[in-house]
Amino acid sequence: MILVIVSALIAVLGGFLGSGAVVGTPIAEAAGGALSATATLVAPAGPAFSIWSVIYAGLLAYAVWQALPAQQRSARQRVLRRPIAATMILNAAWILVVQWGQVFLSVVVIVALLASLAVVFALLIRHPGERTSTAATAVDTVVTDGTFGLYLGWVSIATVANTSAWLASIGWTGGATLWAFVVLVVAALVGLFLARVSGGRIAQALSLSWGLAWVAQGRLAGENVDTVVGWTAALAAAVVLVGTLALRVTARQRR
């Protein structure tokens, strides 16, 4: 319980540092601008990153929720606490690494973060919330499943952008449009896979399609225009969202 609270505070502090509001350097300007909205063809446009405010609010809400007396006795929360704390610490570590200017190391950390979130997602599916009351079930669905679904979906597209930024930083420029096309198709397939294994859970699809839509906006307007990548990202966003909704309806009909 305490571990999650401390980890959430560290994550939020790291996010504050990464915003550059008072101390630190904004992520878009850190590491020589390697992670800016125009650095690569798969970088989401700037407004996409506002989703972090929702995720951080969710992390704080979860830290409070899991500390409540009823949740302290929850078998589900006992299973989730340590993996969730790991995602929060890795989040802060990623920001510190980027502030340090280490783009390759940031890829290592974000891949570890993505893997940790995948573990949390699997545990959420394997250990559904206890049906104690309608209100408690609704809160748990939003605060636990919703927060970490959004977190996973966003970090999925962020991992693509981060990896591409590292490749660009070491001078890899071959087939930029083809590379972007391939990784966006893979991102869409990952979104459909997550929807399939989760029975149509929507949170991760919302954040992944959000990120893809802002990749599309960034490539169809602004400084780094590429219409092939832009329309591929737009189509990928639609496929993830519509495909997840279809799988959700199918899963409910089967139940």
Side-chain angles (χ1 to χ4, degrees):
M1 178 188 72
I2 300 299
L3 175 63
V4 172
I5 294 172
V6 173
S7 300
L9 292 175
I10 291 173
V12 172
L13 180 61
F16 181 71
L17 177 67
S19 72
V22 177
V23 295
T25 304
I27 294 299
E29 299 173 15
L35 299 170
S36 71
T38 57
T40 69
L41 292 179
V42 291
F49 297 90
S50 62
I51 196 174
W52 275 118
S53 61
V54 179
I55 293 172
Y56 284 130
L59 295 180
L60 290 174
Y62 175 76
V64 173
W65 171 251
Q66 60 87 38
L68 296 178
Q71 298 308 310
Q72 290 182 40
R73 299 188 296 271
S74 167
R76 185 188 207 211
Q77 300 303 337
R78 282 198 298 272
V79 170
L80 288 171
R81 284 189 181 101
R82 288 186 180 181
I84 282 176
T87 70
M88 297 173 178
I89 297 300
L90 286 167
N91 189 322
W94 182 85
I95 291 172
L96 290 175
V97 165
V98 173
Q99 293 284 317
W100 187 25
Q102 300 299 309
V103 182
F104 172 70
L105 192 53
S106 75
V107 175
V108 175
V109 175
I110 203 169
V111 168
L113 172 56
L114 181 62
S116 298
L117 285 166
V119 169
V120 170
F121 192 70
L123 290 173
L124 289 171
I125 297 169
R126 192 177 306 162
H127 301 277
E130 294 88 350
R131 302 296 173 179
T132 53
S133 71
T134 303
T137 299
V139 172
D140 193 40
T141 298
V142 172
V143 172
T144 307
D145 300 82
T147 295
F148 292 96
L150 286 176
Y151 200 178
L152 173 62
W154 174 251
V155 171
S156 297
I157 191 65
T159 301
V160 169
N162 198 163
T163 303
S164 298
W166 168 64
L167 290 171
S169 74
I170 62 173
W172 186 84
T173 57
T177 297
L178 178 60
W179 163 260
F181 174 83
V182 170
V183 296
L184 289 172
V185 170
V186 170
L189 292 174
V190 167
L192 293 176
F193 172 76
L194 293 175
R196 177 69 181 83
V197 298
S198 67
R201 291 188 177 217
I202 195 69
Q204 79 285 346
L206 291 175
S207 54
L208 179 54
S209 59
W210 166 269
L212 289 167
W214 281 106
V215 171
Q217 196 280 337
R219 301 295 77 79
L220 296 174
E223 299 177 21
N224 198 2
V225 173
D226 188 309
T227 54
V228 171
V229 175
W231 286 113
T232 300
L235 181 59
V239 166
V240 169
L241 195 54
V242 174
T244 300
L245 290 172
L247 287 166
R248 184 179 183 84
V249 170
T250 301
R252 287 193 169 186
Q253 289 175 342
R254 287 176 180 173
R255 288 198 294 265

